[in-house]
Amino acid sequence: MDNFSNETSKGCLILLVLIFGVIVSIIIGTYYHRKNNNAIEQDVELQKYNDSLKIEINNLDSIKNAKVIEVKTLDNDSTIKLFYKLIK
């Protein structure tokens, strides 16, 4: 009987160690999976931010180009009016 309880104790101990190992492996795997997925999401967010900045720059460039054309077509009276607008 003593031999049976000793082997049962060893079996339970081995089973507990294996269960502990599986749980630790799952936790580590989940951590690295989340870590890698967050990096991808951050890259996507960064790309969206960069795209929105490019759109804003393009809009500003088109506004600037329109103003340059507008200034090129001014006569002397309009130039004085524009000068006073800029001073305000």
Side-chain angles (χ1 to χ4, degrees), residues 32-79:
Y32 281 109
H33 178 70
R34 286 184 184 161
K35 182 178 174 183
N36 290 337
N37 282 347
N38 286 342
I40 292 170
E41 288 174 8
Q42 288 172 355
D43 289 343
V44 169
E45 290 298 320
L46 187 61
Q47 184 64 40
K48 287 179 184 177
Y49 180 72
N50 285 344
D51 289 345
S52 68
L53 285 178
K54 288 177 186 175
I55 290 170
E56 283 183 39
I57 289 172
N58 289 339
N59 288 341
L60 289 174
D61 281 346
S62 63
I63 291 170
K64 177 195 62 103
N65 291 339
K67 293 293 182 187
V68 167
I69 292 169
E70 184 180 318
V71 169
K72 284 181 181 178
T73 60
L74 292 176
D75 58 3
N76 287 339
D77 292 335
S78 300
T79 306

Side-chain angles (χ1 to χ4, degrees), residues 1-8:
M1 189 76 175
D2 215 9
N3 209 6
F4 177 73
S5 66
N6 197 11
E7 286 183 20
T8 305

